[in-house]
């Protein structure tokens, strides 16, 4: 179980940079128990040129993990401000105090960039503090896990506050997730106050936080008429990038009263106002959001409609165009058929030829076998009944 937890923790820590989870400085803890032989160590780097005036980008690398995140300058105890801008290589020693343990850093800085070696001194009393708060799985917490807990800013006070909002029983992995993704009691209470059912487990609130389902997002959707959305609907909308701008853009092209699923589908298939206007400009009025989505799925574009019209196929309806798209009756393929002499083939004939596998190669082979004046319908019948070039040559 411990190995699985370490693996999970490493994966979660790798996600921190993606979701920009904020690491907070924890309240001071009792002096950590130090055992140099069992500490975790590796290399560090800081780029002071990024992160803003009050924050720095800190990266830690050990034998089997990499961690990177923005951290407050105030958390780097003992790092002189002058070292960050020094033109010459300047030796530095500083530390980061966390309840699960202390990070000690040695190295150098030059022109805003620093690097060196770090060692983590674990506080082996921290698991006992978690155990006293009801956290499960604290009997065999490793130093590596303590380092991961320290990296995400886990604290006994933070756990105590979270344990009071009804998220069920925690284990050490849950604590890791809650602090990585900056789950606060305020976030949980606000989501519940907005009527979001399911904000009652660590897994559910972490999933919402990862996918940016925030109180602000819920209120924005409500202001646009999307009330009483459940957690799954909100997740789908946020995951696929549904936002107020999209709702307003779709309303501007006449798509009002859409459901959450409609908006998600439009976003998945990259339906833009420009695409809708293009279809209308090509003669397709009165299309619903579902009509437009189906046309996009089957690659019916305004450009395709214009190309087909230039080839003489005007007045095709939506279903005709979608069938042509499904079966690959493209302008390129139409030109291939015409080059073989089928200048007058109708859209239906071309469609049937494609459906039944009457390819340009098949036509050429049939002609080489002696059938030079075969019509599209005759070619389809031959294909349906298995009459091909080999059959003709064999019977002759």
């Amino acid at each position: 179980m411990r190995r699985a937890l370490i693996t999970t923790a490493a994966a979660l820590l790798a996600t921190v940079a993606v979701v920009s989870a904020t690491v907070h400085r924890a309240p001071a803890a009792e002096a950590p128990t130090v055992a140099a032989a069992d500490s975790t160590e590796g290399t560090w780097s800081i780029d002071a040129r990024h992160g803003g005036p009050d924050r720095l980008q800190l990266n830690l690398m050990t034998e089997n993990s990499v961690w990177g995140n923005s951290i407050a300058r105030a958390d780097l105890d003992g790092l002189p401000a002058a070292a960050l801008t020094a033109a010459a290589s300047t030796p530095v020693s500083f530390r980061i105090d966390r309840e699960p343990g202390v990070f000690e850093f040695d190295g150098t800085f030059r022109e805003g960039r620093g690097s060196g070696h770090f060692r983590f001194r674990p506080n082996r009393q921290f698991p006992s503090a978690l155990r006293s708060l009801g956290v499960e799985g604290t009997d065999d917490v490793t130093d590596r896990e303590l380092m991961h807990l320290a990296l995400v800013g886990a604290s006994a006070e933070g756990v105590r506050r979270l344990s009071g909002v009804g998220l069920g029983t925690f284990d050490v992995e849950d604590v890791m997730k809650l602090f990585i993704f900056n789950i606060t009691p305020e976030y949980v209470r606000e989501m519940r106050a907005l009527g979001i059912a399911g904000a009652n487990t660590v897994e559910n609130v972490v999933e919402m936080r990862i996918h940016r389902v925030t109180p602000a997002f819920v209120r924005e959707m409500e202001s646009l008429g999307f009330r009483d959305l459940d957690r799954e609907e909100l997740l789908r909308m946020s995951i696929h990038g549904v936002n107020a701008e999209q709702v307003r853009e779709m309303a501007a092209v006449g798509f009002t009263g859409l459901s959450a699923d409609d908006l998600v589908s439009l976003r998945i298939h990259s339906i833009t106002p420009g695409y809708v206007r293009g279809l209308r400009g090509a003669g397709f009025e009165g299309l619903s959001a579902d009509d437009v989505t189906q046309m996009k799925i089957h690659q019916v574009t305004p450009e395709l409609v214009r190309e087909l019209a230039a080839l003489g196929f005007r007045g095709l309806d939506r279903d005709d165009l979608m069938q042509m798209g499904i079966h690959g009756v493209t302008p390129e393929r139409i030109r291939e058929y015409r080059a073989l002499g089928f200048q007058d083939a109708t859209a239906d004939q071309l469609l049937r030829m494609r459906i039944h596998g009457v390819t340009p190669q098949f036509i050429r082979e049939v002609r080489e076998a002696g059938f030079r004046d075969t019509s599209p319908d005759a070619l389809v019948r031959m294909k349906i009944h298995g009459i091909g070039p080999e059959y003709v040559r064999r019977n002759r």
Side-chain angles (χ1 to χ4, degrees):
M1 176 180 175
R2 297 256 63 86
R3 183 175 296 176
L5 180 54
I6 291 173
T7 302
T8 302
L12 289 169
L13 287 168
T15 312
V16 173
V18 177
V19 298
S20 301
T22 303
V23 177
H24 295 291
R25 188 172 188 177
E30 295 180 7
T33 302
V34 176
D38 200 22
S39 63
T40 301
E41 53 190 286
T43 59
W44 64 270
S45 66
I46 288 177
D47 193 336
R49 300 169 305 169
H50 305 289
D54 301 319
R55 303 192 71 81
L56 298 169
Q57 178 65 31
L58 172 64
N59 302 300
L60 303 182
M61 288 157 285
T62 66
E63 184 178 350
N64 51 15
S65 65
V66 177
W67 178 88
N69 201 12
S70 171
I71 190 168
R73 293 193 183 200
D75 284 358
L76 306 177
D77 189 14
L79 178 61
L84 300 178
T85 57
S89 181
T90 304
V92 293
S93 294
F94 57 97
R95 54 192 277 143
I96 298 175
D97 290 321
R98 298 280 191 239
E99 284 189 40
V102 176
F103 294 93
E104 297 175 343
F105 299 85
D106 291 296
T108 59
F109 259 95
R110 181 183 177 185
E111 296 179 345
R113 286 189 276 194
S115 61
H117 177 266
F118 82 88
R119 174 170 297 199
F120 176 69
R121 307 284 189 178
N123 174 11
R124 298 198 181 94
Q125 304 306 312
F126 187 66
S128 298
L130 294 181
R131 190 180 307 118
S132 70
L133 293 168
V135 177
E136 298 179 346
T138 58
D139 293 335
D140 54 352
V141 175
T142 67
D143 288 353
R144 185 174 298 280
E145 290 167 348
L146 285 170
M147 186 181 81
H148 290 159
L149 288 165
L151 286 171
V152 300
S155 68
E157 174 60 19
V159 172
R160 185 193 65 75
R161 294 180 66 232
L162 285 164
S163 65
V165 293
L167 292 177
T169 304
F170 298 167
D171 60 19
V172 177
E173 187 175 345
D174 291 331
V175 172
M176 189 80 67
K177 293 176 184 177
L178 289 165
F179 280 88
I180 283 175
F181 296 108
N182 194 27
I183 306 297
T184 65
E186 293 74 21
Y187 172 78
V188 177
R189 293 191 186 101
E190 201 166 359
M191 295 302 286
R192 289 177 182 167
L194 289 167
I196 308 304
N200 56 356
T201 69
V202 172
E203 181 180 0
N204 285 355
V205 295
V206 166
E207 186 179 26
M208 289 191 293
R209 190 69 161 178
I210 288 172
H211 295 297
R212 296 177 176 83
V213 178
T214 63
F217 177 73
V218 176
R219 292 192 187 95
E220 183 178 54
M221 290 298 104
E222 286 183 342
S223 71
L224 294 167
F226 295 92
R227 297 179 177 83
D228 301 320
L229 295 173
D230 62 30
R231 195 181 71 90
E232 295 301 324
E233 288 175 314
L234 288 164
L235 280 170
R236 286 197 301 275
M237 293 172 80
S238 185
I239 287 169
H240 293 291
V242 174
N243 54 35
E245 182 182 5
Q246 183 201 10
V247 175
R248 296 187 185 103
E249 285 179 343
M250 290 298 106
V253 292
F255 292 158
T256 58
L258 298 176
S259 68
D261 286 342
D262 289 334
L263 289 167
V264 169
S265 183
L266 290 168
R267 185 65 89 184
I268 288 172
H269 298 291
S270 302
I271 309 296
T272 64
Y275 176 72
V276 177
R277 294 188 186 100
L279 289 178
R280 289 175 178 166
F284 291 91
E285 297 289 346
L287 296 173
S288 68
D290 184 62
D291 292 336
V292 170
T293 301
Q294 291 301 314
M295 293 176 79
K296 187 66 180 290
I297 289 171
H298 297 299
Q299 302 177 35
V300 178
T301 64
E303 293 75 21
L304 175 64
V305 177
R306 286 193 290 269
E307 279 191 80
L308 291 174
L311 289 169
F313 296 98
R314 297 180 180 83
L316 296 174
D317 63 23
R318 186 174 65 90
D319 290 336
D320 290 333
L321 287 165
M322 288 197 298
Q323 285 297 314
M324 293 175 80
I326 290 169
H327 296 290
V329 183
T330 63
E332 294 78 11
R333 184 49 58 90
I334 292 170
R335 293 186 189 101
E336 282 188 84
Y337 284 129
R338 288 188 172 178
L340 291 167
F342 298 110
Q343 287 87 355
D344 298 325
T346 66
D348 183 62
Q349 286 175 323
L350 291 167
L351 184 59
R352 293 183 68 234
M353 289 169 76
R354 288 292 295 154
I355 290 172
H356 294 289
V358 178
T359 64
Q361 180 62 27
F362 177 79
I363 296 168
R364 284 190 285 268
E365 290 177 353
V366 165
R367 288 178 175 174
E368 288 171 3
F371 290 88
R372 299 191 175 279
D373 298 321
T374 310
S375 68
D377 293 337
L379 287 164
V380 168
R381 288 196 299 272
M382 291 177 70
K383 197 69 174 175
I384 289 172
H385 295 291
I387 300 173
E390 289 300 322
Y391 176 88
V392 174
R393 282 193 287 268
R394 186 170 60 252
N395 281 278
R396 282 186 171 177

